[in-house]
Amino acid sequence: MGQHDFLEAQLTHADDRVRLSKWLPPQWGEMPRVRIGGCWYNILWLIPLGFLFVVIGIPLAQELRQLQSVQSFIQRYPGQTSVPVQYVGFPLWLRVQHFLNLFFILFIIRAGIQILADHPRLYWNRDCTPGTEWFSFQHEVPADRIWTAKDDSVTLPSWFGIPGLRHSIGLARWWHFSFDLLWLLNGIAFYILLFTTHQWERIVPQTWAVFPDALSTAIQYLSLRFPVEESWIRYNGLQLLSYFITVFIAAPVAIITGLMQAPTISNRLGWFGRTLHRQAARSIHFIVLCWFLFFIFIHVTMVFVTGLLPNLNHMFAGINGSGPQGLEMFAAVLVILTVAWVVASPLTINHARTVQKAGAFFIGWLKGLAEWTDPNTQYTEKDISPHFWPDGTMPSSAEFEALAGGNFTDYRLRVDGLVEKPTVFTFAELKAMPKQEQITCHFCIQGWSGVAKWGGVPVRRILEIVKPRPEARYAVFYSFAEGGEGGRYYDVHKLENMRHHLTILAYEMNGAPVSVLHGAPLRLRCENELGFKQVKWIEAIEFVADFAHLGAGQGGYNEDHEFYGYRMPI
Ligand SMILES: Nc1nc2c(c(=O)[nH]1)N[C@H]1C(S)=C(S)[C@@H](COP(=O)(O)O)O[C@H]1N2
Ligand SMILES: [Mo]
């Protein structure tokens, strides 16, 4: 029996569904808080603030409307900007797209908040030093023990997040990204149809009068004497601006800041990736979410209070009138949405492997394409993060303890499988090889990132020595450590990743030997993949033609047990 059969035998099969008894136990965070200056404010303050706004705003607007000057202002700017009316009503394509948009965005939002709960803190700085966040729904990081990013993740109720379980980001990402793609396609079709018909004039302001018009409409709404309603043919200034912001600013910003959180894309774009770094992108992505939530809340409220039946007739039935048709169609839509809402989480938990495979089918291949880029962003010494979150499950075997006790002088790296020259490297031999140093950013799937200087042996040097055979397509990294559910941690990389000039086996971090916490004696750096593929505590590397026979066959421990994707440049 070869050495690798022994390692392979220690890989575990995994269930195709989430077994709650093996999963991370639930942990509830705190009410979301925002830091402004040095003070933290609970977001529940928004309720009394909104109440105050209404009880002060309404009489104030009513008083204003008594003023002669305000009256003439409203007369001059009644709310409807002077848009030429070239269209009437809402065509079928627009109504169908409106429904699809509603359907997709609900899933995007639920799964997006689930993703956020995996690292429930937001920062403006590039590093993720605890205590520097501006938004959080988790307690302070305990100072008296090792606190990994996984320890930090919190549970959401499963009617809210998808699937609601703690650290279910792997599954939430499939939902988020698959629906992102559908939403993007719907959005592209929407842009095209808007601009090939006159419908764009509804939501793109064409004169500066839109601003006084918006102000006038706001005063009129707030005073509870509503402006003239003529949505069937055109929108008022306030509608125009809020639709414009949502369609032409918020949506593209959401997509850009989403993509900028990906290692490959960020590391590909040089100064842009360094400036709109992952934490800034993540914070802005969240602010766009807040805009969408605010928009949805106001939009739905206004649909109700400005004439529910005609409004629903416009957008669902496509007719101008006060009959019940629109309401009936809307009721059917609500039934569809409710059923989809209710089944999403249980379906994800009970058929996790199916969700993973369906996601890979929908979007995995597209994400994988990003591997073709050539990430090369490097940082400078002063960018090095003061705090670098640890993540993962520490090694605990007696064998590893003994090696660590001896400062790894007895450590050997075995590299074999489909190679011409299987080789066992001593630690001294590895360190005697030309050392490569790089200052790069680490992107953990959970959302945190950190810049560190890594020093080690380029993997392409190892390849030159062991010479993979032509049929070798993947490199398997076996760790000394187990994964969270037991069984050995491993991960599989494509050979192309291993040839990249920034792929190294690091034994130094920030100029000192890598600590055991961060992966001593050797840990992988592969700068176009997410953090979980950077195997720590490497025991052996095996070259294979296929990985279906390893573990549960998904290409790594997290892929098997946490339903992550195997190619993860995004
Ligand atoms: N063997 C092993 N390697 C691992 C992990 C693990 O659990 N076991 N966690 C991964 C994850 S999820 C991340 S984000 C990085 C974290 O590296 P760090 O602890 O140096 O920050 O290591 C990766 N390598
Ligand atoms: Mo991670």
Side-chain angles (χ1 to χ4, degrees), residues 18 41 59 100 120 137 189 239 263 271 287 344 356 365 367 377 414-415 424-425 427 444 506 523 526 542:
V18 175
Y41 298 94
L100 290 176
F137 48 104
Q239 287 175 302
W271 72 266
I287 289 168
Q356 178 189 29
W365 60 275
K367 288 199 296 139
T377 294
R414 205 175 49 253
V415 186
V424 175
F425 297 90
F427 206 19
C444 169
R523 62 98 42 89
C526 171
E542 179 187 15

Side-chain angles (χ1 to χ4, degrees), residues 535-551:
V535 177
K536 302 196 283 189
W537 315 294
I538 299 170
E539 173 164 1
I541 305 174
E542 179 187 15
F543 289 86
V544 295
D546 188 18
F547 54 80
H549 61 292
L550 300 176

Side-chain angles (χ1 to χ4, degrees), residues 18 65 69 73 78 214 224 270 391 410 421 424 436 443 493 566:
V18 175
R65 289 194 73 170
S69 55
F73 171 71
L224 300 185
D391 212 354
D410 294 335
K421 258 191 76 196
V424 175
Q436 176 170 317
F443 294 71
H493 281 266
Y566 146 65

Side-chain angles (χ1 to χ4, degrees), residues 34-104:
V34 177
R35 184 165 57 86
I36 302 171
C39 292
W40 284 97
Y41 298 94
N42 191 313
I43 59 154
L44 287 182
W45 278 106
L46 285 175
I47 297 173
L49 280 179
F51 184 72
L52 261 187
F53 176 80
V54 169
V55 296
I56 294 176
I58 291 175
L60 192 72
Q62 287 171 340
E63 284 305 315
L64 276 177
R65 289 194 73 170
Q66 304 295 325
L67 300 178
Q68 189 53 50
S69 55
V70 175
Q71 281 172 7
S72 51
F73 171 71
I74 290 178
Q75 224 157 37
R76 178 136 181 254
Y77 296 103
Q80 273 69 357
T81 45
S82 48
V83 179
V85 179
Q86 313 240 17
Y87 42 77
V88 171
F90 300 89
L92 181 66
W93 62 263
L94 196 148
R95 289 178 277 130
V96 170
Q97 291 209 303
H98 176 261
F99 162 71
L100 290 176
N101 184 66
L102 164 61
F103 189 82
F104 298 154

Side-chain angles (χ1 to χ4, degrees), residues 243-539:
Y243 295 147
F244 179 81
I245 292 172
T246 305
V247 173
F248 294 107
I249 298 177
V253 170
I255 291 165
I256 293 166
T257 53
L259 288 171
M260 289 308 291
Q261 295 176 53
T264 316
I265 295 178
S266 181
N267 281 337
R268 179 65 210 134
L269 294 180
W271 72 266
F272 188 68
R274 284 191 297 261
T275 311
L276 185 58
H277 51 76
R278 189 192 221 192
Q279 298 313 319
R282 199 163 164 262
S283 290
I284 298 170
H285 203 69
F286 175 77
I287 289 168
V288 175
L289 163 70
C290 295
W291 167 262
F292 276 121
L293 292 176
F294 175 73
F295 173 81
I296 293 169
F297 177 70
I298 301 289
H299 178 65
V300 172
T301 307
M302 296 311 276
V303 166
F304 272 81
V305 301
T306 61
L308 185 63
L309 289 178
N311 285 336
L312 293 178
N313 276 330
H314 293 174
M315 199 42 93
F316 289 93
I319 52 177
N320 192 19
S322 305
Q325 297 93 322
L327 182 63
E328 285 161 13
M329 293 179 76
F330 180 65
V333 163
L334 275 188
V335 170
I336 297 174
L337 289 181
T338 309
V339 170
W341 188 293
V342 170
V343 302
S345 287
L347 181 129
T348 307
I349 292 170
N350 293 325
H351 303 276
R353 190 72 71 204
T354 311
V355 169
Q356 178 189 29
K357 287 187 175 155
F361 174 79
F362 263 125
I363 191 88
W365 60 275
L366 193 62
K367 288 199 296 139
L369 288 184
E371 280 172 357
W372 286 88
T373 65
D374 173 29
N376 51 15
T377 294
Q378 299 210 33
Y379 292 81
T380 60
E381 300 264 348
K382 68 176 189 340
D383 299 320
I384 291 175
S385 302
H387 179 86
F388 199 95
W389 281 77
D391 212 354
T393 312
M394 303 287 284
S396 55
S397 68
E399 185 194 0
F400 184 83
E401 302 283 306
L403 281 174
N407 238 337
F408 298 106
T409 40
D410 294 335
Y411 170 67
R412 304 266 181 289
L413 172 70
R414 205 175 49 253
V415 186
D416 55 16
L418 298 174
V419 294
E420 280 169 21
K421 258 191 76 196
T423 310
V424 175
F425 297 90
T426 66
F427 206 19
E429 280 167 347
L430 290 168
K431 287 197 217 162
M433 290 167 75
K435 180 169 84 179
Q436 176 170 317
E437 291 196 321
Q438 61 201 44
I439 305 179
T440 53
C441 188
H442 177 98
F443 294 71
C444 169
I445 191 171
Q446 296 185 260
W448 62 270
S449 48
V451 174
K453 176 159 133 185
W454 302 99
V457 185
V459 175
R460 55 187 193 285
R461 295 275 163 275
I462 306 278
L463 296 183
E464 281 164 13
I465 295 170
V466 300
K467 299 196 176 58
R469 293 206 233 123
E471 58 282 22
R473 294 182 55 210
Y474 305 99
V476 187
F477 289 79
Y478 295 93
S479 176
F480 280 108
E482 297 206 329
E485 285 183 8
R488 206 176 264 269
Y489 193 96
Y490 75 108
D491 204 79
V492 181
H493 281 266
K494 293 209 318 189
L495 223 54
E496 291 82 82
N497 267 352
M498 298 297 102
R499 298 208 173 94
H500 191 274
H501 69 279
L502 290 180
T503 301
I504 64 174
L505 300 175
Y507 49 79
E508 280 180 10
M509 180 184 186
N510 298 336
V514 173
S515 61
V516 168
L517 185 60
H518 289 295
L522 276 190
R523 62 98 42 89
L524 179 64
R525 296 299 316 160
C526 171
E527 308 298 350
N528 66 347
E529 300 285 344
L530 289 171
F532 74 90
K533 297 196 75 85
Q534 332 278 334
V535 177
K536 302 196 283 189
W537 315 294
I538 299 170
E539 173 164 1

Side-chain angles (χ1 to χ4, degrees), residues 107-120:
F107 284 87
I108 292 175
I109 288 176
R110 288 182 65 194
I113 293 173
Q114 182 74 62
I115 291 171
L116 178 63
D118 237 71
H119 189 71

